[in-house]
Amino acid sequence: APLLPPLSSTQDQKVVETYLMKFYDLKNETDSDPHRGVHQMTLKLKEMQQFFGLEVTGVMDSNTLEVMKKPRCGVPDLAE
Amino acid sequence: YTTFPGNTKWKTNKLTYRIVNYTPDLPQSEVDRAIENALQVWARVTPLRFTRLYSGTADIMISFGRGDHGDGYPFDGPDGTLAHAFAPSVGIGGDAHFDEDETFTSRSSSGYNLFLVAAHEFGHALGLSHSTDPGALMYPVYSYTDPERFSLPLDDIRGIQSLYGPNPDVTPEKPDPEKPTPPTTPNACDPNLVIDGITTLRGEMMVFKNRFFWRVYPQSNQPELTLIKSFWPDIPDNIDAAYESIKADRVFIFKGEKVWALSGYDVVSGYPKTLSSMGLPATVKRITAALYDEVSGKTLFFDNKYYYSYDETKRQMDKGYPKLVEKSFVGMQGGVTAALQYRGFTYLFSGSNMHEFSSRSKKLHRVLRSNYFLGC
């Protein structure tokens, strides 16, 4: 399959980060320690995939991105 | 369902609300009505009672705003985040904010229905967090339901009653006659599951049940449960049948005498059409299952124990039909309630059983459970 054009994947990357920060309390600390940031991102992505009954891979896929782009409530999914 | 940490709730059942400002999308009377009805969704199943204030501070302050609206949680423009609300507490607790950059509607499936969004936000204002049940009102993703026929799902009732208990004015022996039993969400692992319809879709599979369908991906054993209306607001719930025409690269969905068409995940314009547009005789008022048979190139339409054969190329019914299903599919028992052809086998469903036939020889191989493809 054709690779996503760079713009959309950067754009999609932004969608993912914003979503996880807003609804899964991803901390904006990737600047300080990139490895820890990637690990955090994977954990939070798994939490989101688990919540929505998606395949829990911790890896971005089209189904996960599709759910992230759906209109929704602004309250985080983590009760706390 | 989930509640907030410590099961945060109001200390009193008598709450006040105030509509601080209005959206220009709707007449004020429509906003008043939507808000009142949304609060009644929760009052109907709990001891909670709501009184409207027109000035001063109410427990639930309702307002419309865009972008940064002063609470530290800015909205994001059209779509995306529609609204948010705060858990029960003093001050901003219980308040509900709606994103003015959305188009709120009251009587159509376009835009975002204010009653549905408000009912969800008031769930938060009363102490519910999000539910993982795709059929629940407290599921985080918006999906359209006809507000006139809205009935609070059982998951939400259980959640709010875990905080406040049931409505003392309704005696369980005599449930509210106007309200049907609360909708529940089908369980893929229910061995007695009876499905409404099943079809392939460009390599994926869709299994329909009530308001939902499961999306089954070949590369994954995790089917995804989704509301039909979250994809296609105009496709009905409780469908009769569905099949994929490889030739037309369309999925056809049937309910009663109507048929809808999907191209991928898009609804094809010009539908719904009538069953006769698919070549079925006018005497046929509904079908119970359908499949495209790659071996013969024919489409088979089932009406319980009988079936018709339709030639998509000639666009006409084959002669000598309807025939008895069990004459051609020896060993089939019961009326056919769903049908599928997949990887060289023909699957005929009847109730909670799925009969697997070889597509070529029509020989019965196995009798399995109807949830076979749902990865239990």
Side-chain angles (χ1 to χ4, degrees), chain B residues 16-253:
Chain B
T16 56
Y17 74 97
R18 180 182 160 202
I19 302 173
V20 177
N21 65 357
Y22 284 85
T23 169
D25 300 344
L26 291 166
Q28 289 193 4
S29 59
E30 289 286 293
V31 175
D32 291 347
R33 199 170 72 94
I35 296 296
E36 174 62 27
N37 287 342
L39 289 166
Q40 284 313 307
V41 161
W42 300 106
R44 206 172 285 128
V45 294
T46 64
L48 294 169
R49 298 298 176 263
F50 301 98
T51 304
R52 182 173 177 178
L53 299 186
Y54 292 82
S55 63
T57 302
D59 298 313
I60 299 174
M61 298 287 269
I62 296 154
S63 59
F64 293 82
R66 57 167 47 91
D68 185 350
H69 53 285
D71 62 8
Y73 298 95
F75 284 131
D76 54 1
D79 303 321
T81 298
L82 307 180
H84 57 221
F86 295 84
S89 86
V90 294
I92 200 169
D95 293 1
H97 300 162
F98 297 82
D99 184 354
E100 189 45 79
D101 279 330
E102 311 304 345
T103 301
F104 289 109
T105 57
S106 61
R107 298 173 190 278
S108 83
S109 62
S110 65
Y112 297 108
N113 183 275
L114 181 59
F115 159 75
L116 294 172
V117 177
H120 175 102
E121 295 310 330
F122 295 152
H124 291 311
L126 299 173
L128 289 182
S129 188
H130 282 145
S131 172
T132 57
D133 178 340
L137 174 62
M138 294 313 290
Y139 191 64
V141 171
Y142 174 87
S143 67
Y144 178 74
T145 307
D146 180 353
E148 301 306 317
R149 294 164 54 181
F150 177 83
S151 182
L152 189 62
L154 189 57
D155 180 75
D156 304 292
I157 294 175
R158 286 181 174 144
I160 201 72
Q161 290 188 346
S162 75
L163 293 171
Y164 298 98
N167 180 347
D169 304 337
V170 172
T171 48
E173 298 73 44
K174 284 186 284 171
D176 179 351
E178 285 167 36
K179 280 291 159 199
T181 48
T184 56
T185 299
N187 172 6
C189 295
D190 171 3
N192 300 311
L193 180 72
V194 177
I195 65 172
D196 294 337
I198 185 169
T199 178
T200 52
L201 168 61
R202 297 181 182 173
E204 289 180 15
M205 193 185 286
M206 298 197 290
V207 184
F208 290 86
K209 175 68 178 177
N210 298 347
R211 305 184 289 149
F212 301 87
F213 71 103
W214 282 277
R215 290 170 75 181
V216 183
Y217 306 99
Q219 73 279 10
S220 142
N221 67 352
Q222 171 79 34
E224 211 180 285
L225 184 61
T226 306
L227 281 167
I228 293 171
K229 297 223 182 282
S230 74
F231 271 86
W232 312 291
D234 300 327
I235 299 283
D237 298 335
N238 304 298
I239 68 163
D240 290 335
Y243 84 95
E244 179 177 25
S245 163
I246 309 298
K247 181 177 175 45
D249 185 23
R250 291 271 190 278
V251 162
F252 293 100
I253 294 178

Side-chain angles (χ1 to χ4, degrees), chain A residues 19 22-23 51-55 63 66-67 69-80, chain B residues 3 5 76 80-83 85 112 120-121 124 129-131 139-140 142 215 217 220 222 224:
Chain A
Y19 193 95
K22 241 176 165 178
F23 304 116
F51 185 97
F52 284 99
L54 298 163
E55 186 88 11
N63 296 330
E66 186 182 278
V67 171
K69 290 183 174 177
K70 283 183 178 277
R72 59 160 290 158
C73 170
V75 174
D77 294 333
L78 301 176
E80 58 278 5
Chain B
T3 55
D76 54 1
T81 298
L82 307 180
Y112 297 108
H120 175 102
E121 295 310 330
H124 291 311
S129 188
H130 282 145
S131 172
Y139 191 64
Y142 174 87
R215 290 170 75 181
Y217 306 99
S220 142
Q222 171 79 34
E224 211 180 285

Side-chain angles (χ1 to χ4, degrees), chain B residues 231-307:
Chain B
F231 271 86
W232 312 291
D234 300 327
I235 299 283
D237 298 335
N238 304 298
I239 68 163
D240 290 335
Y243 84 95
E244 179 177 25
S245 163
I246 309 298
K247 181 177 175 45
D249 185 23
R250 291 271 190 278
V251 162
F252 293 100
I253 294 178
F254 300 80
K255 182 168 185 180
E257 295 187 61
K258 292 184 180 171
V259 53
W260 288 260
L262 300 179
S263 170
Y265 275 91
D266 300 321
V267 177
V268 177
S269 61
Y271 285 82
K273 293 183 177 178
T274 59
L275 282 181
S276 50
S277 70
M278 304 298 282
L280 284 157
T283 49
V284 177
K285 298 303 177 194
R286 77 182 278 260
I287 63 169
T288 56
L291 65 77
Y292 176 77
D293 179 14
E294 285 190 37
V295 174
S296 64
K298 310 285 188 177
T299 298
L300 306 186
F301 292 116
F302 296 84
D303 178 2
N304 284 306
K305 295 195 172 197
Y306 291 88
Y307 77 104

